[in-house]
Amino acid sequence: RSKGYFRMENDIAITGTWEGIGDKDTPFTGDFDGGGHCITLDINMPNENYVGLFGTVKSGAVHDLAVSGSVVGSNYVGGIVANPTNEAVLYNLCNYADVTSTSTAVLSCVGGVIGGIISKAEGSMEGATVSNCANFGHVASDGCALGGVIGYSGQQTGNTICDVANYGYVESTNTMRIAGTIGNPMWNDKVHRIAN
């Protein structure tokens, strides 16, 4: 697991093949402080899942960060975090990148900031917390569970989502589970103060 505290001191650009920080087997569990900086992304992995700056974040924090550029993946695609899960804390995040999913799956889970939050029943662990996040990018998919800020939120443990807004364009040819801000909130999610 990726533990520890990390703080950005400058804007940076990431190009080429990008594995993402943390994955399902070894999630990011540290504290990533963007310091108010921006990362320009050029991630083009149309056949890969869990695509974003971060793959999976569990019991970790990502905050005070913006991204721009473009992100292309298959299922679970997000500009900043593809798949946050139990007790992830995400706040003060802003996406300006164009985020695209190539998947036509029933739950492709695509969002400008976050692809899909999957919090499971694991002992006393709680769900993820998302606050003060905004999307300005173009979010597109022909699958479903698509949202400007968050594509999907749910599974077995409720998440807390507040003060999130979408200013970008959300585009899909599928009419299931699509919304300006959160495509699919469920399972006792606490959702407050959202705007599109």
PDB file of all heavy atoms in Angstrom, residues 33-48:
ATOM      1  N   ASP A  33      -1.534  15.701  -0.939  1.00  0.00           N
ATOM      2  CA  ASP A  33      -1.900  17.117  -0.876  1.00  0.00           C
ATOM      3  C   ASP A  33      -1.415  17.789  -2.149  1.00  0.00           C
ATOM      4  O   ASP A  33      -0.208  17.933  -2.363  1.00  0.00           O
ATOM      5  CB  ASP A  33      -1.244  17.746   0.358  1.00  0.00           C
ATOM      6  CG  ASP A  33      -1.559  19.218   0.528  1.00  0.00           C
ATOM      7  OD1 ASP A  33      -2.188  19.817  -0.369  1.00  0.00           O
ATOM      8  OD2 ASP A  33      -1.163  19.782   1.569  1.00  0.00           O
ATOM      9  N   GLY A  34      -2.360  18.189  -3.000  1.00  0.00           N
ATOM     10  CA  GLY A  34      -1.987  18.832  -4.254  1.00  0.00           C
ATOM     11  C   GLY A  34      -1.449  20.243  -4.086  1.00  0.00           C
ATOM     12  O   GLY A  34      -0.929  20.826  -5.040  1.00  0.00           O
ATOM     13  N   GLY A  35      -1.575  20.804  -2.902  1.00  0.00           N
ATOM     14  CA  GLY A  35      -1.027  22.134  -2.651  1.00  0.00           C
ATOM     15  C   GLY A  35      -1.640  23.222  -3.514  1.00  0.00           C
ATOM     16  O   GLY A  35      -1.045  24.279  -3.708  1.00  0.00           O
ATOM     17  N   GLY A  36      -2.844  22.951  -4.066  1.00  0.00           N
ATOM     18  CA  GLY A  36      -3.492  23.923  -4.936  1.00  0.00           C
ATOM     19  C   GLY A  36      -2.937  23.934  -6.353  1.00  0.00           C
ATOM     20  O   GLY A  36      -3.242  24.828  -7.139  1.00  0.00           O
ATOM     21  N   HIS A  37      -2.144  22.932  -6.708  1.00  0.00           N
ATOM     22  CA  HIS A  37      -1.520  22.873  -8.028  1.00  0.00           C
ATOM     23  C   HIS A  37      -2.348  22.053  -9.010  1.00  0.00           C
ATOM     24  O   HIS A  37      -3.319  21.408  -8.636  1.00  0.00           O
ATOM     25  CB  HIS A  37      -0.109  22.291  -7.911  1.00  0.00           C
ATOM     26  CG  HIS A  37       0.820  23.183  -7.160  1.00  0.00           C
ATOM     27  ND1 HIS A  37       1.319  24.348  -7.695  1.00  0.00           N
ATOM     28  CD2 HIS A  37       1.318  23.094  -5.898  1.00  0.00           C
ATOM     29  CE1 HIS A  37       2.094  24.935  -6.806  1.00  0.00           C
ATOM     30  NE2 HIS A  37       2.108  24.196  -5.702  1.00  0.00           N
ATOM     31  N   CYS A  38      -1.929  22.079 -10.285  1.00  0.00           N
ATOM     32  CA  CYS A  38      -2.644  21.382 -11.358  1.00  0.00           C
ATOM     33  C   CYS A  38      -1.715  20.381 -12.037  1.00  0.00           C
ATOM     34  O   CYS A  38      -0.553  20.691 -12.327  1.00  0.00           O
ATOM     35  CB  CYS A  38      -3.158  22.394 -12.385  1.00  0.00           C
ATOM     36  SG  CYS A  38      -4.123  21.649 -13.726  1.00  0.00           S
ATOM     37  N   ILE A  39      -2.233  19.195 -12.307  1.00  0.00           N
ATOM     38  CA  ILE A  39      -1.521  18.182 -13.080  1.00  0.00           C
ATOM     39  C   ILE A  39      -2.196  18.073 -14.440  1.00  0.00           C
ATOM     40  O   ILE A  39      -3.403  17.848 -14.520  1.00  0.00           O
ATOM     41  CB  ILE A  39      -1.553  16.810 -12.376  1.00  0.00           C
ATOM     42  CG1 ILE A  39      -0.867  16.897 -11.006  1.00  0.00           C
ATOM     43  CG2 ILE A  39      -0.867  15.750 -13.243  1.00  0.00           C
ATOM     44  CD1 ILE A  39      -0.936  15.608 -10.211  1.00  0.00           C
ATOM     45  N   THR A  40      -1.439  18.249 -15.504  1.00  0.00           N
ATOM     46  CA  THR A  40      -1.966  18.084 -16.859  1.00  0.00           C
ATOM     47  C   THR A  40      -1.785  16.628 -17.263  1.00  0.00           C
ATOM     48  O   THR A  40      -0.664  16.103 -17.256  1.00  0.00           O
ATOM     49  CB  THR A  40      -1.241  19.008 -17.854  1.00  0.00           C
ATOM     50  OG1 THR A  40      -1.405  20.363 -17.425  1.00  0.00           O
ATOM     51  CG2 THR A  40      -1.814  18.855 -19.254  1.00  0.00           C
ATOM     52  N   LEU A  41      -2.890  15.971 -17.580  1.00  0.00           N
ATOM     53  CA  LEU A  41      -2.892  14.540 -17.886  1.00  0.00           C
ATOM     54  C   LEU A  41      -3.042  14.292 -19.380  1.00  0.00           C
ATOM     55  O   LEU A  41      -3.758  15.011 -20.073  1.00  0.00           O
ATOM     56  CB  LEU A  41      -4.054  13.850 -17.164  1.00  0.00           C
ATOM     57  CG  LEU A  41      -4.118  14.005 -15.649  1.00  0.00           C
ATOM     58  CD1 LEU A  41      -5.426  13.428 -15.128  1.00  0.00           C
ATOM     59  CD2 LEU A  41      -2.932  13.338 -14.999  1.00  0.00           C
ATOM     60  N   ASP A  42      -2.379  13.254 -19.865  1.00  0.00           N
ATOM     61  CA  ASP A  42      -2.595  12.733 -21.218  1.00  0.00           C
ATOM     62  C   ASP A  42      -2.595  11.213 -21.084  1.00  0.00           C
ATOM     63  O   ASP A  42      -1.627  10.538 -21.400  1.00  0.00           O
ATOM     64  CB  ASP A  42      -1.493  13.210 -22.159  1.00  0.00           C
ATOM     65  CG  ASP A  42      -1.710  12.728 -23.586  1.00  0.00           C
ATOM     66  OD1 ASP A  42      -2.805  12.202 -23.877  1.00  0.00           O
ATOM     67  OD2 ASP A  42      -0.776  12.848 -24.399  1.00  0.00           O
ATOM     68  N   ILE A  43      -3.712  10.682 -20.551  1.00  0.00           N
ATOM     69  CA  ILE A  43      -3.837   9.255 -20.281  1.00  0.00           C
ATOM     70  C   ILE A  43      -4.764   8.647 -21.323  1.00  0.00           C
ATOM     71  O   ILE A  43      -5.942   8.995 -21.396  1.00  0.00           O
ATOM     72  CB  ILE A  43      -4.385   8.996 -18.858  1.00  0.00           C
ATOM     73  CG1 ILE A  43      -3.464   9.623 -17.809  1.00  0.00           C
ATOM     74  CG2 ILE A  43      -4.559   7.501 -18.619  1.00  0.00           C
ATOM     75  CD1 ILE A  43      -4.023   9.567 -16.398  1.00  0.00           C
ATOM     76  N   ASN A  44      -4.224   7.731 -22.137  1.00  0.00           N
ATOM     77  CA  ASN A  44      -5.006   7.104 -23.203  1.00  0.00           C
ATOM     78  C   ASN A  44      -4.881   5.590 -23.070  1.00  0.00           C
ATOM     79  O   ASN A  44      -3.972   4.982 -23.621  1.00  0.00           O
ATOM     80  CB  ASN A  44      -4.523   7.581 -24.568  1.00  0.00           C
ATOM     81  CG  ASN A  44      -5.416   7.064 -25.693  1.00  0.00           C
ATOM     82  OD1 ASN A  44      -6.536   6.621 -25.444  1.00  0.00           O
ATOM     83  ND2 ASN A  44      -4.920   7.107 -26.913  1.00  0.00           N
ATOM     84  N   MET A  45      -5.789   4.988 -22.304  1.00  0.00           N
ATOM     85  CA  MET A  45      -5.776   3.547 -22.049  1.00  0.00           C
ATOM     86  C   MET A  45      -7.179   2.991 -22.297  1.00  0.00           C
ATOM     87  O   MET A  45      -7.883   2.583 -21.369  1.00  0.00           O
ATOM     88  CB  MET A  45      -5.307   3.290 -20.621  1.00  0.00           C
ATOM     89  CG  MET A  45      -3.927   3.873 -20.337  1.00  0.00           C
ATOM     90  SD  MET A  45      -3.434   3.760 -18.617  1.00  0.00           S
ATOM     91  CE  MET A  45      -3.192   2.003 -18.457  1.00  0.00           C
ATOM     92  N   PRO A  46      -7.638   2.988 -23.552  1.00  0.00           N
ATOM     93  CA  PRO A  46      -9.035   2.680 -23.869  1.00  0.00           C
ATOM     94  C   PRO A  46      -9.484   1.268 -23.511  1.00  0.00           C
ATOM     95  O   PRO A  46     -10.680   1.018 -23.421  1.00  0.00           O
ATOM     96  CB  PRO A  46      -9.123   2.919 -25.375  1.00  0.00           C
ATOM     97  CG  PRO A  46      -7.728   2.777 -25.868  1.00  0.00           C
ATOM     98  CD  PRO A  46      -6.854   3.279 -24.767  1.00  0.00           C
ATOM     99  N   ASN A  47      -8.556   0.334 -23.309  1.00  0.00           N
ATOM    100  CA  ASN A  47      -8.927  -1.042 -22.992  1.00  0.00           C
ATOM    101  C   ASN A  47      -8.689  -1.402 -21.529  1.00  0.00           C
ATOM    102  O   ASN A  47      -8.851  -2.559 -21.142  1.00  0.00           O
ATOM    103  CB  ASN A  47      -8.146  -2.013 -23.887  1.00  0.00           C
ATOM    104  CG  ASN A  47      -8.436  -1.781 -25.355  1.00  0.00           C
ATOM    105  OD1 ASN A  47      -9.588  -1.632 -25.738  1.00  0.00           O
ATOM    106  ND2 ASN A  47      -7.399  -1.705 -26.167  1.00  0.00           N
ATOM    107  N   GLU A  48      -8.324  -0.426 -20.710  1.00  0.00           N
ATOM    108  CA  GLU A  48      -8.003  -0.680 -19.313  1.00  0.00           C
ATOM    109  C   GLU A  48      -9.105  -0.173 -18.388  1.00  0.00           C
ATOM    110  O   GLU A  48      -9.803   0.796 -18.702  1.00  0.00           O
ATOM    111  CB  GLU A  48      -6.678  -0.005 -18.945  1.00  0.00           C
ATOM    112  CG  GLU A  48      -5.493  -0.481 -19.760  1.00  0.00           C
ATOM    113  CD  GLU A  48      -5.185  -1.950 -19.557  1.00  0.00           C
ATOM    114  OE1 GLU A  48      -5.330  -2.441 -18.418  1.00  0.00           O
ATOM    115  OE2 GLU A  48      -4.797  -2.618 -20.538  1.00  0.00           O
TER     116      GLU A  48
END
